Amino acid sequence: MARIWPFTLRHVTGRSDADQRIEGGMIDRKSPLEFRFNREALLGFAGDTLASALLANGHLTLGRSARYRRPRGLDAIVLIERGGKVEQVRASEQELYDGLVARQSFSFLPWVKAPEDSPGEVEHVHDHTDVLIVGSGPKGLRRAVLAAEGGADVILVERDFEFGGRLLHEAGNYSGLDAPDWRAQMITHLKAQPNVSLYSRTTAIAEDGKTSVLLEERVQDHLPDTDPMFPTRRLRHVSAEKLELATGREEFGFVFQNNDLPGIFDVKTALSLVRRYAVLPGKRIVLYGNDDAIYNLVPALQEAGVPLAAIVDPRELVPAHCHQFARQAGIPLYPGHCIVAARGFRRLRRLILRKTGNDPLQRDIHLDCDALIQSAAITEEQLPMPAKGRGKCFADPETEILWSPDSPTYSLLGRPYPLDGEVIVPAEKLPARRVGPLQSAIERAGAVFTMQGDWYLAKAYPAADEEEMDATRREALAVRTGAGLCDISCLGKVDVQGPDAAAFLGRLFDDGWAKLSVGRLRHGILCREDGRALAGVIGWRLAPHHYCLTTAASPFAAALSKLLEMKLDNEKLSVTDITDSWGALALEGPAAPAILAECFPALAKENSLPAMGFVAFEQDELPLRIARLSLSGGAGYEIMTPAGYADILWNLLREKGKSHDLTPVGTAARDILRIEAGHIGPAEIRAGATAAGLGLTATPGRDRKTDPQLVGLKPVSGTEEGKEAVELRAGMRLYEGDGTPPRGPGIGIVTSAGHSPTLGHDIALALLTEGRARVGTLIRAAGDDGKPVIDVKVRAPRHLNFRKEDSRA
């Protein structure tokens, strides 16, 4: 129905009209704190976070997301100015202090860059304990007390500046005491124990290798002035006999259009705002949930004076007690309805509801509101698809993973769960943080790091005042003109040996593996049952009954699982993961043979290594396996040595390579080199192609003509003539070049892309329907929402030509 004049003008700044502070909470109203945000003077209290104080003053939209520049609420990244330095912090985690100066980190002007984050001094500390407990909620406090009373040394870690976890915002009774009193009693008891260490403002980042956990302690984030005598951050490497995680259950949200708008909260955040920080989430609030938990929230909110506009329950059969509860509370209930879209410019202003199930009319209901509190329980009921129209729908708003009709039907935030039998929620665990034996050496070389899967890897080696992108391009050019050295210790490595090893690998790949000569290598593709590629593998035949298999780090776990699954009980062989036992380096570029000859004279005296050949020997008690193969396409070698010798090998190559301008190379440059050479990587494997589609081998039982085929792409224009060409990105969909608007799944997808400094333009690898037949033709690449559109030319996967003997088979 069309709107009729007069229109009601609304604020579009993402700010509310009035103060949202309410009575109660855990803030100290006797300690007011003055702070500034975007040059505006504001007032908060001790015990506030920056986010809660801003919301109390009417500010909800605090920034923009990194990928799609979407409005972001209390979890936005903002800039803090302190001591002449600028730091990036999350508003919801920044403790408020007097005189704090903050501003948004995002600018719409493309030439205005956010200041570089200045992390300050970082101190490394190594701790040892019997029990490390992460999380100080009821579960964590109980476990800490029990372990301490049993005589164990205990470290209790809490990322918040207050201990207590959900006890800080949930009501309840514990051992006859109210939650606040029980919390205070337990913390007092733990502080009195000599064998207990309590670390607040400390985040458990990851499992650091196999024996320790990495903790990051924010030492001075809560202080108005930094003390130069103390570090800004403290990284604690904790070796613990036992690790216990008590971080609480994960909150889930629903999938609907614009489900990332500021003003949409989970139950934990909403309760924290009300009970801990004494702040209203909004002035007209809607509750949305598919179990009784959302109804249990009502008394707490009404007691705090929170205005509730409606309850939306998507269950087709809402229990009678829920209807009765809503009537008694005087709150409109929408049973059997779900939210299909949210509307608002910079914050939530309206919700669109639709009947669950097959309603022939499917009329939309519009609810005006400024806050939504949601709690999505795991359910087998299928909800209607999100509404069509403007806006995005996210499977995971935090990481900006877009939802699509191909997403799992029964999943929340992109996490699928089984439907038959008991639903099993994954156990709590920290992300792994694996480092190779060369970690210290590449840190000293000036590396900046990135996480790839479980591995903490060197992304680039920027010089002073050099941007990462410039460093990446410099490193890629160095490999093409001189030589580069890259740590590849993260390669998955499997030792396969025994009388049946050759037959086993021949059954997995082809007969050529059994006929492979000792001292030679072979490239293979490990496939799933449906013929789609699982992992690319390089096989080293060390002896007649002994092989070493190497593969990329990301598919390694799946590849190892497949190898163990395919091993027959009666086969005489062993399959062993030896990834952490060996360090590995890639030496690549035209100067690589000369550097290798200077480092290993014994190798130079023998005949040069053939392509896809290797030799194992010792030099000055340094055990080595040197293979002639290169991911970059030109001359290159992969060198393996036991992990304890990796530093010696690195230093030797760096020293002998000085006269040849040997350059350390990170993963970003190595990926560009791979795309230039047309070699497949984890991105092409994950895209679900067959070995035949990747151009490597025939796949039995499948029609090769129907397989998406690997091709190269080169952009030939931008979105408009006369304007700078749009960046060619991985994930873009490919469409016919017939001029029609890009719609639907298209004819292929860009799997890997980057800027080639050697060629001077963007390049990409893609999987394309009938790709080989389309070489030389023009097609179109487009983003998730159909924009931008780039004209690209299809070509063979290899963008640069190399001598055949220098290429990796």
Side-chain angles (χ1 to χ4, degrees), residues 155-464:
I155 292 179
L156 178 64
V157 173
E158 174 56 58
R159 67 184 300 173
D160 204 334
F161 55 87
E162 293 279 2
F163 289 97
R166 63 186 176 92
L167 295 171
L168 298 171
H169 60 261
E170 286 189 4
N173 189 280
Y174 297 85
S175 302
L177 297 175
D178 290 336
D181 296 333
W182 185 82
R183 165 184 164 271
Q185 185 184 86
M186 295 291 278
I187 294 172
T188 301
H189 178 67
L190 287 171
K191 287 181 177 180
Q193 304 300 313
N195 56 336
V196 176
S197 298
L198 302 176
Y199 297 144
S200 61
R201 303 183 182 92
T202 302
T203 303
I205 299 177
E207 294 187 34
D208 191 3
K210 290 186 176 181
T211 61
S212 66
V213 175
L214 183 66
L215 309 177
E216 182 186 41
E217 183 180 358
R218 303 179 298 279
V219 181
Q220 303 194 58
D221 280 10
H222 60 295
L223 302 177
D225 299 307
T226 57
D227 188 338
M229 300 301 294
F230 290 93
T232 304
R233 296 283 189 274
R234 182 177 291 124
L235 290 179
R236 294 184 178 273
H237 304 263
V238 181
S239 295
E241 293 293 328
K242 186 177 182 182
L243 170 64
E244 297 192 19
L245 299 181
T247 53
R249 72 179 184 90
E250 188 173 4
E251 296 281 349
F252 295 101
F254 291 92
V255 173
F256 52 88
Q257 192 181 93
N258 295 322
N259 58 339
D260 67 328
L261 275 177
I264 299 176
F265 305 96
D266 58 39
V267 171
K268 177 182 176 181
T269 302
L271 279 174
S272 294
L273 289 172
V274 173
R275 283 186 164 159
R276 180 177 177 184
Y277 303 114
V279 178
L280 279 178
K283 297 297 183 69
R284 185 173 173 81
I285 299 174
V286 173
L287 302 180
Y288 184 30
N290 56 1
D291 65 357
D292 289 0
I294 202 70
Y295 297 88
N296 297 333
L297 186 64
V298 172
L301 296 176
Q302 288 186 325
E303 181 182 346
V306 178
L308 301 177
I311 300 175
V312 180
D313 193 325
R315 292 178 291 184
E316 293 189 12
L317 297 176
V318 177
H321 67 271
C322 294
H323 285 272
Q324 183 179 1
F325 178 87
R327 284 194 300 269
Q328 291 177 349
I331 305 172
L333 173 64
Y334 292 84
H337 285 75
C338 66
I339 297 173
V340 294
R343 294 286 183 259
F345 177 57
R346 294 191 64 197
R347 60 172 298 167
L348 178 65
R349 294 298 183 185
R350 189 170 76 256
L351 295 170
I352 301 177
L353 277 57
R354 188 174 296 167
K355 188 74 174 176
T356 306
N358 298 319
D359 185 357
L361 296 179
Q362 282 295 10
R363 291 174 295 185
D364 291 343
I365 299 174
H366 293 242
L367 284 181
D368 287 338
C369 64
D370 61 358
L372 172 70
I373 302 175
Q374 60 173 338
S375 175
I378 299 169
T379 177
E380 298 183 14
E381 295 186 16
Q382 184 175 3
L383 303 182
M385 293 177 62
K388 296 181 180 180
R390 71 182 189 275
K392 296 183 182 294
C393 174
F394 292 94
D396 189 345
E398 182 177 351
T399 57
E400 294 194 277
I401 298 175
L402 290 171
W403 178 90
S404 71
D406 297 328
S407 298
T409 303
Y410 302 107
S411 66
L412 298 169
L413 296 183
R415 303 170 179 85
Y417 289 89
L419 296 179
D420 52 338
E422 182 182 358
V423 174
I424 302 174
V425 178
E428 294 175 289
K429 65 177 182 178
L430 287 175
R433 180 183 182 269
R434 301 183 65 178
V435 295
L438 285 166
Q439 181 70 17
S440 298
I442 59 181
E443 282 182 355
R444 291 192 298 269
V448 293
F449 293 90
T450 183
M451 288 296 297
Q452 290 190 6
D454 293 345
W455 285 91
Y456 191 56
L457 303 178
K459 182 180 181 181
Y461 295 82

Side-chain angles (χ1 to χ4, degrees), residues 117-130:
D117 186 22
S118 178
E121 190 71 23
V122 178
E123 179 183 65
H124 289 261
V125 176
H126 293 267
D127 291 330
H128 300 270
T129 189
D130 296 321

